[in-house]
């Protein structure tokens, strides 16, 4: 080991001292302590030995933090809806407005899109451009169909004088479901951008990291929608 490398190892907080069979791996600043680093200092790899993780791991971790903040925001919308779900002000309630067959179709479309998104991820592991683009396209089409049904539902409700200004219940409903729909729409724009970047640049590390973050985002939207389907639509349409 050169003097520069040895000096760097002594100063670098991400190097991990390991005691080998000779028991001198963690000693002082002498050349002997570092020269025998086969039993001494090991470079941290981020895989259980300490030190910095890979760029892929740190980016995914940061995106998880973003998703947690997003879930906190949705929790506030859910709490508001729970409080205002009976505040119909003499207007229509969920039992009168919700069409469960339509909502069930939306749920099937979104859950299926999550499955096809997973197939796209598997295709990236094989570095198959054709399969990756195909499954990403299917994911986008399913998400667009989901969004179309949601916009159609909102339009029908508005035409029946059941818009967000009609009652506190409808304000909370449109805010919660509309916020989720906005996320789906932004996700579709993100997906289209990623498909274009993948086609032009190929399976670069930064593209793979972005695709991974998109997968996390899309699966999180599925989880939130399952909660909306259960707590808003099923409970709201029940007698």
């Amino acid at each position: 080991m050169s003097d520069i490398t040895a000096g760097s190892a002594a100063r670098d907080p991400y190097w991990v001292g390991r005691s080998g069979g000779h028991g001198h791996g963690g000693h002082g600043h002498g050349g002997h302590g570092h020269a025998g680093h086969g039993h001494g200092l090991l470079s941290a790899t981020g895989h259980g030995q300490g030190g910095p993780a890979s760029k892929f791991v740190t980016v995914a971790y940061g995106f998880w933090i973003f998703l947690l903040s997003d879930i906190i925001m949705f929790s506030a919308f859910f709490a508001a809806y729970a409080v205002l779900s009976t505040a119909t002000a003499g207007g229509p309630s969920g039992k009168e407005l919700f069409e469960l067959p339509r909502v069930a179709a939306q749920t099937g479309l979104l859950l299926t899109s999550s499955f096809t998104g997973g197939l796209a991820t598997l295709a990236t592991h094989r570095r198959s451009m054709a399969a990756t683009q195909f499954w990403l396209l299917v994911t986008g089409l399913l998400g667009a169909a989901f969004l179309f049904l949601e916009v159609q539902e909102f339009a029908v409700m508005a035409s029946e004088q059941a818009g967000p200004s009609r009652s506190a219940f409808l304000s909370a409903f449109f805010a919660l479901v509309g916020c989720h729909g906005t996320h789906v729409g932004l996700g579709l724009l993100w997906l289209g951008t990623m498909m274009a970047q993948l086609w032009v640049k190929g399976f670069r590390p930064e593209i793979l990291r972005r695709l991974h973050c998109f997968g996390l985002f899309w699966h999180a939207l599925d989880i939130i929608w399952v909660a909306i389907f259960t707590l808003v639509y099923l409970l709201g349409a029940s007698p």
Side-chain angles (χ1 to χ4, degrees), residues 1-19 25-28 33-53:
M1 178 183 292
S2 67
D3 292 338
I4 294 176
T5 306
S8 300
R11 294 189 300 271
D12 190 351
Y14 297 122
W15 282 72
V16 181
R18 299 279 180 170
S19 296
H27 285 304
H34 296 293
H37 88 287
H39 295 286
L41 295 177
L42 299 176
S43 177
T45 64
H47 297 285
Q49 295 182 355

Side-chain angles (χ1 to χ4, degrees), residues 130-170:
T132 301
Q133 292 284 10
F134 173 77
W135 289 118
L136 289 177
L137 177 61
V138 173
T139 300
L141 292 176
L142 291 170
F146 166 88
L147 198 59
F148 172 79
L149 290 178
E150 186 167 285
V151 172
Q152 189 181 57
E153 177 189 33
F154 286 176
V156 170
M157 293 173 69
S159 67
E160 297 175 351
Q161 304 303 314
S165 61
R166 178 63 182 83
S167 65
F169 154 68
L170 287 170

Side-chain angles (χ1 to χ4, degrees), residues 21 40 79 82 97 102 108 112 137 145 149-150 160 174 201 209:
L97 294 172
R102 184 207 302 271
T112 305
L137 177 61
L149 290 178
E150 186 167 285
E160 297 175 351
F174 275 90
K201 299 181 179 180
R209 290 195 296 267

Side-chain angles (χ1 to χ4, degrees), residues 1-219:
M1 178 183 292
S2 67
D3 292 338
I4 294 176
T5 306
S8 300
R11 294 189 300 271
D12 190 351
Y14 297 122
W15 282 72
V16 181
R18 299 279 180 170
S19 296
H22 299 291
H24 58 264
H27 285 304
H29 301 285
H32 181 68
H34 296 293
H37 88 287
H39 295 286
L41 295 177
L42 299 176
S43 177
T45 64
H47 297 285
Q49 295 182 355
S54 66
K55 185 68 174 292
F56 186 91
V57 172
T58 55
V59 169
Y61 177 78
F63 197 76
W64 268 114
I65 300 299
F66 162 74
L67 289 179
L68 289 174
S69 68
D70 217 31
I71 289 173
I72 291 173
M73 178 188 68
F74 272 104
S75 298
F77 280 110
F78 274 109
Y81 178 83
V83 172
L84 301 173
S85 59
T86 58
T88 59
S93 64
K95 184 179 179 181
E96 299 168 295
L97 294 172
F98 298 156
E99 299 179 22
L100 290 185
R102 184 207 302 271
V103 182
Q106 288 181 257
T107 304
L109 288 169
L110 198 60
L111 293 180
T112 305
S113 74
S114 187
F115 173 72
T116 57
L119 293 178
T121 300
L122 294 177
T124 63
H125 294 166
R126 302 194 308 269
R127 299 298 189 268
S128 173
M129 178 65 72
T132 301
Q133 292 284 10
F134 173 77
W135 289 118
L136 289 177
L137 177 61
V138 173
T139 300
L141 292 176
L142 291 170
F146 166 88
L147 198 59
F148 172 79
L149 290 178
E150 186 167 285
V151 172
Q152 189 181 57
E153 177 189 33
F154 286 176
V156 170
M157 293 173 69
S159 67
E160 297 175 351
Q161 304 303 314
S165 61
R166 178 63 182 83
S167 65
F169 154 68
L170 287 170
S171 294
F173 168 80
F174 275 90
L176 173 58
V177 181
C179 183
H180 179 271
T182 301
H183 278 70
V184 173
L186 293 175
L188 292 176
L189 292 176
W190 184 3
L191 176 59
T193 303
M194 292 310 306
M195 291 178 66
Q197 289 187 356
L198 184 63
W199 182 262
V200 173
K201 299 181 179 180
F203 294 99
R204 293 185 181 181
E206 64 271 19
I207 303 298
L208 294 176
R209 290 195 296 267
R210 294 166 192 165
L211 283 172
H212 181 68
C213 290
F214 169 78
L216 295 176
F217 177 79
W218 202 252
H219 293 315

